[in-house]
């Protein structure tokens, strides 16, 4: 039986008024805001969820990472589905699923159900996200496209800020499930706006669903995340953890082997031989690896050591809103003068410095010391981001800019997911080691070491022993925060060396791309 591919839907030449174009841009940017807020909003809720549901530290990590890893793993296949069947159609389906998963999350008090609901939310968000930028590049006139892309980029930062502050305000006024109620309501509104204002586009000729590549990458990344998160809890030599890493190696090995052999790969891994492509991807990965991991463990430090409320926790991250745009504005001119490699490397070095500054904080530190570290951390991200994105874009010719955009997104989301897993696991290890070293009764140690929220709950009912237990928990949280940020700092230092050493000179790679990837294309 023969199958006829649908004709591509290209609306680039359709005449639109400025008002129509504005509605398209606003709708697509709001989509980015709500997807990024889906990750950021839960960071400030983690201490509250831990207290109310008595969740272990690994369960708290899964609440955040289930969404992030599903989003990261499904971005490429979801983008291919949009290319094949219509981007608007996939976005509308994504919103239906996102709203349903948010309602489920809002109405459950079972921790495992919440994790599954979050994973489904990430999967449906993956149907939405790729279509936002692809639609902008297909339907917005060239004279307004630069502005639209800039707005799209800014929406990611806005989503993180609004998500944190909004979630904090909702938790203080209602309960943690109100975050998901708000997400569902907003999802309905933006989904209707998408159906009403966003035109349909597709590119079935170049769509590549690649089911073997998709499944093997999902299995590999999921198993890797499982092993990393459960390692500190189950033990790194436990059957579950070792089996997870074995499955991860097999899954990722199959993915790479298949992508090298198939004529139409989901991700042409040969492109990583291009120095700009690889250094840019690694830099973006590490920026969000450090950032997402930081948000996850810093929220717990601020809650359990500083005693901040959810809204104040969100506000504590606001210095990033000053330093990231400041450094991002300076980075292109600095890169033009000194080179992308040096500036990108310096950016990661400053990010490592900011991460290291957090390790100087103690149980008696004041907010100003935290704020200084946040400012430096943000300056590093702002300096590193533009050169990395430019390196990826310049490494590929115009016909492959869709690949450049996809890798930018995947590097960011995958870095964030693994940052939560790895840096979060360092936090758990440091916290548990701190509780083990504390002078607590053995019967208390096993309970308190499960999570800081559980430990403080024990302290609240311990009578005269309460100050000792609470002090031990605060010190252990500080130890875990320090270990996690040392790990982030070390990762960024290695990345900085790689970026400086491997980055090509500007404009040297696009001319040789065809020769280097001829077999794959």
């Amino acid at each position: 039986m023969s199958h006829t591919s649908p004709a591509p839907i290209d609306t680039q030449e359709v005449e639109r008024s400025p008002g129509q174009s504005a509605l398209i841009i606003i709708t697509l940017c709001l989509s980015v805001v709500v997807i990024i807020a889906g990750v950021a909003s839960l960071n400030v809720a983690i201490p509250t969820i831990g207290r109310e549901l008595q969740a272990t530290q690994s369960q708290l990590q899964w609440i955040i990472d289930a969404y992030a890893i599903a989003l990261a793993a499904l971005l490429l296949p979801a983008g291919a589905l949009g290319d094949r069947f219509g981007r608007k159609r996939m976005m509308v389906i994504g919103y239906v699923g996102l709203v349903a998963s948010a309602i489920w999350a809002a109405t459950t008090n079972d921790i495992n159900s919440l994790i599954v609901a979050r994973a489904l939310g990430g999967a449906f968000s993956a149907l939405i996200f790729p279509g936002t930028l692809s639609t902008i590049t297909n339907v917005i006139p060239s004279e307004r496209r630069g502005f639209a892309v800039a707005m799209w980029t800014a929406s990611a930062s806005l989503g993180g800020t609004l998500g944190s502050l909004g979630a904090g305000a909702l938790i203080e006024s209602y309960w943690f499930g109100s975050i998901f109620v708000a997400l569902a309501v907003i999802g309905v509104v933006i989904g209707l706006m998408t159906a009403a204002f966003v035109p349909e586009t597709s590119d079935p000729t170049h769509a590549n669903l690649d089911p073997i590549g998709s499944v093997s990458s999902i299995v590999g990344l999921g198993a890797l995340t499982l092993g990393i998160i459960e390692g500190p809890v189950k033990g790194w030599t436990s059957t579950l953890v070792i089996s997870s890493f074995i499955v991860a190696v097999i899954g990722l090995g199959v993915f790479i082997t298949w992508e090298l052999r198939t004529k139409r790969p989901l991700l042409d891994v040969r492109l990583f031989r291009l120095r700009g492509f690889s250094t840019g991807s690694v830099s973006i990965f590490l920026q969000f690896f450090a950032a997402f991991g930081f948000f996850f463990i810093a929220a717990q430090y601020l809650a359990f050591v500083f005693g901040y409320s959810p809204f104040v926790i969100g506000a504590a991250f606001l210095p990033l809103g000053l330093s990231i745009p400041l450094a991002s504005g300076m980075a292109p001119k600095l890169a033009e003068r000194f080179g992308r490699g040096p500036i990108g490397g310096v950016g990661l070095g400053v990010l490592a410095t900011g991460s290291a500054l957090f390790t100087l904080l103690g149980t008696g530190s004041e907010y100003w010391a935290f704020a200084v570290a946040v400012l430096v951390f943000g300056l590093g991200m702002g300096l590193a981001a533009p050169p990395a994105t430019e390196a990826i874009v310049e490494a590929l010719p115009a016909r492959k800019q869709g690949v450049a955009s996809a890798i930018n997104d995947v590097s960011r989301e995958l870095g964030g997911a693994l940052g939560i897993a790895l840096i979060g696991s360092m936090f758990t290890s440091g916290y548990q080691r701190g509780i083990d070293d504390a002078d607590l009764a053995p019967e208390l140690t096993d309970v308190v070491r499960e999570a800081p929220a559980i430990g403080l709950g024990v302290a609240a009912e311990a009578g005269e022993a309460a100050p000792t237990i609470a002090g031990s928990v605060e010190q252990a949280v500080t130890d875990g925060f320090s270990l996690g940020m040392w790990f982030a700092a070390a990762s960024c230092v290695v990345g900085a060396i790689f970026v400086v050493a491997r980055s090509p000179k500007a404009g040297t790679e696009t001319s040789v791309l065809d020769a280097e990837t001829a077999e794959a294309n």
Side-chain angles (χ1 to χ4, degrees):
M1 183 172 64
S2 62
H3 296 275
T4 303
S5 298
I9 303 172
D10 185 353
T11 60
Q12 219 170 11
E13 302 303 322
V14 175
E15 291 289 337
R16 291 186 180 85
S17 68
Q20 289 174 316
S21 294
L23 284 173
I24 294 170
I25 295 170
I26 290 170
T27 302
L28 296 173
C29 288
L30 286 175
S31 294
V32 176
V33 169
V34 77
I35 290 169
I36 300 302
V39 179
S41 60
L42 263 290
N43 284 312
V44 300
I46 282 299
T48 303
I49 294 174
R51 282 190 293 263
E52 295 190 11
L53 299 186
Q54 291 294 287
T56 65
Q57 198 62 27
S58 65
Q59 288 173 329
L60 294 176
Q61 281 182 258
W62 276 115
I63 291 171
I64 302 291
D65 231 5
Y67 181 99
I69 198 69
L71 175 59
L74 293 172
L75 272 176
L76 289 178
L81 284 172
D83 290 344
R84 176 68 175 80
F85 298 107
R87 297 170 184 126
K88 174 181 177 177
R89 180 178 300 170
M90 290 301 107
M91 291 173 71
V92 171
I93 293 173
Y95 272 115
V96 172
L98 180 61
V99 169
S101 66
I103 293 172
W104 184 13
T107 55
T108 183
N109 283 320
D110 176 69
I111 195 73
N112 293 321
S113 296
L114 180 57
I115 291 169
V116 173
R118 290 284 294 162
L120 289 174
F124 283 110
S125 293
L127 291 177
I128 301 169
F129 199 30
T132 56
L133 186 58
S134 297
T135 301
I136 285 175
T137 57
N138 272 272
V139 306
I140 301 301
S142 57
E143 64 271 15
R144 302 198 64 192
R145 201 172 301 145
F147 168 77
V149 171
M151 292 293 293
W152 181 91
T153 303
S155 298
S157 298
L158 184 62
T161 302
L162 292 180
S164 297
L165 291 175
L170 286 169
I171 294 171
E172 290 192 21
S173 300
Y174 305 103
W175 87 112
F176 76 82
S178 62
I179 297 174
F180 303 113
V181 173
L183 178 62
V185 172
I186 294 170
V188 169
V189 172
I190 303 177
L192 291 174
M193 291 176 66
T194 300
F197 304 132
V198 175
E200 184 65 279
T201 64
S202 68
D203 186 10
T205 303
H206 296 96
N208 180 24
L209 300 180
D210 189 10
I212 294 177
S214 299
V215 172
S216 59
S217 66
I218 292 168
V219 170
L221 291 174
L224 178 63
T225 305
L226 175 62
I228 291 170
I229 290 178
E230 296 297 332
V233 179
K234 304 291 186 184
W236 294 103
T237 59
S238 68
T239 301
L240 174 65
V241 172
I242 291 176
S243 300
S244 297
F245 287 139
I246 291 173
V247 172
V249 170
I250 294 172
L252 295 176
V254 169
F255 173 74
I256 293 171
T257 302
W258 175 256
E259 297 305 286
L260 286 171
R261 293 184 176 181
T262 184
K263 292 182 178 180
R264 299 193 66 191
L266 182 69
L267 171 61
D268 186 356
V269 295
R270 294 177 183 84
L271 293 174
F272 286 97
R273 295 186 304 180
L274 297 173
R275 297 169 69 177
F277 191 85
S278 61
T279 55
S281 300
V282 166
S283 179
I284 291 173
F285 175 91
L286 287 173
Q287 291 165 45
F288 285 86
F289 176 89
F292 278 49
F294 160 70
F295 287 130
F296 177 71
I297 65 175
Q300 297 178 74
Y301 173 77
L302 293 171
F304 300 129
V305 177
F306 280 17
Y308 285 176
S309 68
F311 180 77
V312 177
I313 291 172
F317 297 131
L318 285 179
L320 285 172
L322 298 175
S323 56
I324 291 179
L326 175 64
S328 294
M330 297 166 53
K333 292 183 179 179
L334 290 172
E336 185 177 346
R337 180 174 180 182
F338 299 104
R340 289 190 191 125
I343 297 304
V346 167
L348 287 176
V350 174
L351 184 58
T353 302
S355 299
L357 287 175
F358 289 114
T359 69
L360 303 178
L361 300 175
T363 56
S365 296
E366 297 181 3
Y367 174 71
W368 68 263
F370 182 88
V372 169
V374 170
L375 283 168
V376 176
F377 193 88
L379 287 173
M381 286 198 70
L383 280 175
T389 299
E390 290 172 5
I392 294 174
V393 169
E394 189 179 274
L396 301 180
R399 72 179 188 279
K400 286 186 174 288
Q401 286 308 299
V403 175
S405 175
I407 289 301
N408 197 313
D409 292 341
V410 171
S411 298
R412 176 174 53 225
E413 301 305 329
L414 183 58
L418 292 182
I420 294 166
L422 273 167
I423 296 175
S425 290
M426 293 297 104
F427 174 85
T428 301
S429 296
Y431 172 77
Q432 292 179 339
R433 189 184 309 151
I435 294 300
D436 291 341
D437 293 342
D439 188 20
L440 299 178
E443 63 272 15
L444 288 177
T445 298
D446 290 340
V447 178
V448 173
R449 76 193 305 270
E450 289 187 8
I454 294 175
L456 291 179
V458 170
E461 301 176 358
E464 294 182 357
T468 300
I469 298 173
S472 298
V473 170
E474 291 178 9
Q475 184 58 57
V477 168
T478 303
D479 293 344
F481 183 47
S482 179
L483 182 61
M485 295 316 296
W486 271 127
F487 188 79
S491 301
C492 290
V493 167
V494 173
I497 294 170
F498 175 77
V499 168
V500 171
R502 178 117 179 116
S503 289
K505 293 182 179 179
T508 61
E509 288 196 318
T510 50
S511 61
V512 299
L513 176 67
D514 290 334
E516 292 204 10
T517 60
E519 290 184 23
N521 297 292

